[in-house]
Amino acid sequence: MAEFMTEQIRNLAVLGHTGAGKSSLLEALLFQGKAITQKGRVDKGTNHADFTAQEKDHRHSLEPSFLNLDFDNHHINFIDTPGLPDFFGRALLPLPGVETVLLVINATTGIETITQRAFEAARAQGKVVLIAVNHIDGNAGILPALLDDIQTRFGHRCLPVNLPNAALDSVIDCYLHPEPQLQADALFHDIASARDELVDTVLEEDDDLMALYLEQGESLTPEQLHAPLETALRMGHLVPICFTSAETEVGISELLELIIKLCPNPLEANPPQFLKGFADQAKPVDVTQAADDHVLAHVFRVAIDPFFGRMGVFRVHQGTIQLGMKLFIGDGRKPFKVSSLFKLQGDRQIAVTSAIPGDICAVSKVDELNVGAVLHDSHDEDEFCLPELNLPQPIFGLAVSAKRRGDEQKIAEVLHKLVVEDPSLHIAKNEAEGQTILQGQGDLHLQIALEKAHDLFNVDMDTDVPAVAYRETIMATAKARYRHKKQSGGSGQFGEVELEVEPLPRGTGFEFVSKVVGGSVPSQYIPAVEKGVKEAMGSGALAGYPMQDVRVSLLDGKHHSVDSKEIAFVMAGKKAFLDAVHQAQAVILEPIVEMTVTVAQEHVGDITGDISANRGIICGTQAQANGKVEVEVEAPLATVDDYSTRLKSLTGGDGQFAMTFSRYDVVPDHVQQQLVTEAKRD
């Protein structure tokens, strides 16, 4: 591979709803950049991004995949991401490793659920967004309305940097080479007006250039506008829009030029927000991004192969990683040797000898690597970390168990590997039901995980519908006192405590406060009281569900110089807590989800009726440019855990939905009575 400097690198994560044509667009870019000699096809399973057996079978991107090309003396790293709603968590994983998000929109279907969520996630992380409207061929009539919809949804700062011509066989540049094309025949809009809008937006970032432009009427070149342009992109004050067709390759060479000349290099983008320290003690630190400084890199993708071990894909932020050097992982004391260093090109590993700041590379056979791990070569960076990525909370679950006796430990190991690869999967324990729950974003998310466990790790699991993750809490403040006293010959047990319980705001969790004065409960026994309270909270007070959003204050108590023991205060804490909770209006909470259901107009009535009949609330509807309607819904998870089946039935398979966790809320009285009755029966 050719050697490049950091300024010559561009890193882009390609996001968009399934069907937008992300993988096909990448094939066209790779072909245009001469990184491949023949374009693959998604429908034939020959494209370079979707190379795993699962992806070929399902004809969908299921994992982030890595591709790169060298073009016009620049090195471009692309990361293709899944577009199915169930895999949005996986699509977010690469964002900390790139400067730019290439957001692909299908001109035929317009802005869909994942398009909206991806745009919001990219801007929340300070990433530059470049929008590519794909599949423009055959869609001349709807492109003007789609541009209006983009500006309505994402802001009026979304401006076209090129426009399709009337024949849809080329695009006309509005920014980089405007002069020869100002009179060209665009399908819609006006090239000169588009140019003026872009320049005016960029000049808002530079008062001196604005004065030169206004007072002297001087024409400014893209080179003069580069610095304020990068500021506008970083701040989100400008979101460029371009038009492409992956099938006919219209706009592909122009897109490559835009990536090189508009998208920021690693030194121009918003710097990575590294922290030093942990939890509340963490403080921001600056990263020099210098090639000759200490090494600082972070892992944002981990893949585990049963034969080749664990591979970690990382972004270098500072220093230069050399083949053979030793690196630490986080605050680990023992370094590992970089015995293999390579670039990924789809399913190929291309060996390299070094990785400079801004580049994306990979190492293999390092078992300690996890998503978010920081690699460094000096103990000065032991406590460096990046803020934890805000992944979607899992909302679906399957209870999993061993199909063959004796496989329990093997299943636990495989589940751990699945979660290491995909942190948007969770493993939970339902102690009351004795279930291990694999949680994810939807039934397809879990199906793919179980397929992988079978195909790659040779593990089969039985599955069952898990109990809904109900919780318990209190609605009022109450006090209770309890004495635990036991005497059976010899030394006895004695502990007495007075507790106060009070509700906390929803989602706060649990707080324990000691207000003991005068040593009525010796300090060595206070942790035992808290332990007893936590044990009681774990099994609940009404129907066996864990409790949350409760503050417990230890007010007073008594002890005995001989008989007081830790176990006595554990028992006293547990009993006093339960007595107080029964006086504090205990209630059961249920998970509430937000859903976006996209259906044809004729099915809207069926959808709203079904949701309303199942304790859901219709929050709004929004017509899309493609004739579909988005229905925004809030509903209890318990009433929509089979929603994919119901939606298919209601729409003949023509509907789509995406679901995210919203909050916990109190169940209606009749539901609470039913849950309590079932718990007593069990």
Side-chain angles (χ1 to χ4, degrees):
M1 290 184 64
E3 291 189 4
F4 295 93
M5 299 178 65
T6 299
E7 293 89 335
Q8 297 168 293
I9 294 175
R10 303 291 185 272
N11 297 308
L12 297 93
V14 186
L15 274 72
H17 202 92
T18 184
K22 300 182 298 298
S23 299
S24 298
L25 188 65
L26 282 171
E27 290 294 309
L29 288 166
L30 291 170
F31 183 71
Q32 185 73 37
K34 296 183 170 50
I36 57 176
T37 57
Q38 185 176 358
K39 289 195 299 181
R41 294 187 62 90
V42 174
D43 56 355
K44 294 183 178 179
T46 57
N47 66 305
H48 292 75
D50 302 335
F51 56 84
T52 69
Q54 274 189 308
E55 289 172 322
K56 290 178 183 293
D57 287 343
H58 289 272
R59 295 290 193 266
H60 281 293
S61 298
L62 302 175
E63 312 271 3
S65 59
F66 300 83
L67 300 158
N68 62 82
L69 62 86
D70 298 338
F71 183 77
D72 194 19
N73 204 31
H74 285 76
H75 182 67
I76 307 173
N77 291 309
F78 291 109
I79 307 175
D80 188 31
T81 66
L84 290 162
D86 279 16
F87 300 99
F88 186 58
R90 296 185 184 184
L92 295 179
L93 290 177
L95 291 192
V98 302
E99 295 79 46
T100 302
V101 167
L102 178 60
L103 185 62
V104 184
I105 299 175
N106 186 334
T108 306
T109 55
I111 299 172
E112 299 175 270
T113 305
I114 293 303
T115 319
Q116 183 86 35
R117 293 173 66 187
F119 181 86
E120 293 168 356
R123 287 307 311 145
Q125 290 199 39
K127 304 302 176 184
V128 171
V129 178
L130 170 61
I131 295 176
V133 176
N134 195 26
H135 299 311
I136 63 171
D137 37 304
N139 285 308
I142 62 176
L143 291 178
L146 177 56
L147 178 59
D148 289 342
D149 195 25
I150 291 172
Q151 293 177 331
T152 299
R153 298 274 199 105
F154 301 148
H156 67 279
R157 304 290 184 121
C158 298
L159 299 174
V161 289
N162 61 40
L163 289 164
N165 71 353
L168 291 181
D169 58 6
S170 69
V171 295
I172 307 164
D173 181 77
C174 307
Y175 186 76
L176 294 175
H177 313 289
E179 297 302 330
Q181 306 190 57
L182 287 178
Q183 306 305 317
D185 183 19
L187 174 68
F188 62 94
H189 206 24
D190 175 72
I191 300 297
S193 298
R195 162 75 176 177
D196 290 342
E197 288 175 340
L198 285 163
V199 173
D200 289 347
T201 300
V202 169
L203 286 177
E204 289 177 13
E205 311 297 330
D206 191 314
D207 293 339
D208 292 337
L209 270 180
M210 175 69 83
L212 184 67
Y213 182 66
L214 294 176
E215 294 172 11
Q216 302 179 25
E218 293 199 16
S219 177
L220 300 175
T221 67
E223 289 72 26
Q224 288 176 292
L225 293 169
H226 183 78
L229 168 71
E230 295 304 330
T231 301
L233 292 172
R234 280 199 310 272
M235 302 296 291
H237 294 168
L238 173 62
V239 177
I241 304 171
C242 63
F243 293 84
T244 65
S245 169
E247 185 70 26
T248 64
E249 297 184 34
V250 169
I252 299 302
S253 61
E254 290 83 357
L255 176 54
L256 270 178
E257 185 180 22
L258 288 172
I259 289 170
I260 289 171
K261 294 186 177 178
L262 261 65
C263 294
N265 67 53
L267 301 179
E268 293 172 324
N270 290 321
Q273 297 301 305
F274 274 93
L275 304 172
K276 184 173 185 178
F278 304 102
D280 295 339
Q281 306 301 315
K283 303 293 183 185
V285 290
D286 293 328
V287 175
T288 67
Q289 301 189 72
D292 57 355
D293 208 336
H294 289 174
V295 167
L296 197 61
H298 92 281
V299 176
F300 60 88
R301 166 78 175 131
V302 170
I304 302 176
D305 186 279
F307 302 104
F308 301 106
R310 189 173 299 201
M311 178 190 73
V313 183
F314 59 86
R315 157 71 184 268
V316 184
H317 293 281
Q318 179 179 287
T320 302
I321 295 180
Q322 303 281 357
L323 186 66
M325 75 185 308
K326 292 185 177 180
L327 295 176
F328 297 99
I329 302 173
D331 58 358
R333 299 289 92 186
K334 184 179 178 181
F336 74 91
K337 184 178 180 180
V338 182
S339 56
S340 63
L341 185 64
F342 47 89
K343 299 278 293 184
L344 291 171
Q345 185 74 323
D347 60 347
R348 292 191 296 134
Q349 298 179 358
I350 302 171
V352 295
T353 57
S354 64
I356 64 171
D359 207 358
I360 293 172
C361 291
V363 293
S364 62
K365 299 181 180 178
V366 184
D367 291 338
E368 296 79 15
L369 291 178
N370 288 293
V371 171
V374 172
L375 310 179
H376 57 96
D377 62 351
S378 166
H379 286 303
D380 292 345
E381 286 83 35
D382 277 353
E383 296 183 358
F384 277 38
C385 63
L386 282 170
E388 190 171 343
L389 193 59
N390 186 23
L391 296 177
Q393 185 161 341
I395 52 175
F396 275 67
L398 280 176
V400 296
S401 58
K403 191 177 285 287
R404 295 186 296 268
R405 180 169 298 190
D407 276 359
E408 289 80 7
Q409 181 60 36
K410 190 175 182 181
I411 284 177
E413 293 171 357
V414 169
L415 289 175
H416 174 70
K417 290 176 180 177
L418 293 174
V419 173
V420 166
E421 287 193 330
D422 181 3
S424 62
L425 288 169
H426 286 199
I427 301 169
K429 293 285 187 181
N430 186 332
E431 301 294 349
E433 303 291 336
Q435 293 178 320
T436 297
I437 313 296
L438 180 63
Q439 299 175 323
Q441 299 303 303
D443 51 359
L444 180 61
H445 192 195
L446 300 181
Q447 175 194 333
I448 293 298
L450 294 174
E451 281 182 12
K452 190 166 191 175
H454 170 79
D455 296 342
L456 205 58
F457 300 107
N458 196 29
V459 166
D460 291 318
M461 296 177 236
D462 285 328
T463 62
D464 196 4
V465 177
V468 174
Y470 292 107
R471 298 287 185 267
E472 297 180 16
T473 192
I474 57 174
M475 303 296 286
T477 300
K479 296 179 183 178
R481 193 176 187 99
Y482 187 87
R483 173 182 294 181
H484 176 78
K485 184 177 182 181
K486 186 176 181 181
Q487 194 75 40
S488 57
S491 63
Q493 297 178 8
F494 182 88
E496 182 176 331
V497 299
E498 182 181 5
L499 299 179
E500 179 183 64
V501 297
E502 54 186 311
L504 289 174
R506 198 75 71 237
T508 304
F510 166 69
E511 293 180 10
F512 182 85
V513 181
S514 174
K515 298 181 179 179
V516 171
V517 294
S520 57
V521 178
S523 59
Q524 67 265 30
Y525 295 131
I526 292 176
V529 178
E530 181 177 2
K531 180 180 178 182
V533 169
K534 287 182 176 178
E535 287 182 2
M537 288 188 68
S539 54
L542 287 175
Y545 301 114
M547 300 194 71
Q548 65 181 39
D549 307 332
V550 179
R551 177 186 289 123
V552 179
S553 300
L554 174 59
L555 304 178
D556 194 13
K558 290 183 180 179
H559 71 286
H560 189 279
S561 58
V562 175
D563 290 344
S564 284
K565 295 177 178 62
E566 180 178 316
I567 183 61
F569 281 97
V570 170
M571 296 302 299
K574 182 183 296 187
K575 295 290 188 179
F577 174 77
L578 291 174
D579 288 349
V581 164
H582 287 303
Q583 303 173 50
Q585 300 176 27
V587 294
I588 296 175
L589 302 172
E590 64 181 345
I592 305 295
V593 296
E594 295 176 351
M595 292 172 40
T596 302
V597 187
T598 305
V599 294
Q601 177 67 51
E602 61 265 27
H603 296 305
V604 171
D606 296 329
I607 295 302
T608 56
D610 176 71
I611 291 294
S612 299
N614 286 278
R615 296 200 289 125
I617 299 172
I618 308 301
C619 302
T621 60
Q622 186 166 4
Q624 293 185 308
N626 58 6
K628 301 278 189 177
V629 177
E630 278 188 358
V631 184
E632 297 175 0
V633 172
E634 277 193 355
L637 177 60
T639 69
V640 292
D641 57 356
D642 62 344
Y643 194 70
S644 58
T645 303
R646 278 161 46 197
L647 183 62
K648 288 176 184 175
S649 175
L650 290 168
T651 65
D654 190 37
Q656 294 181 333
F657 78 102
M659 185 184 300
T660 56
F661 173 81
S662 175
R663 65 189 184 280
Y664 271 93
D665 213 342
V666 179
V667 301
D669 289 342
H670 73 278
V671 176
Q672 177 158 316
Q673 291 171 9
Q674 178 183 347
L675 292 171
V676 171
T677 301
E678 290 175 355
K680 289 179 179 177
R681 188 186 309 127
D682 293 341

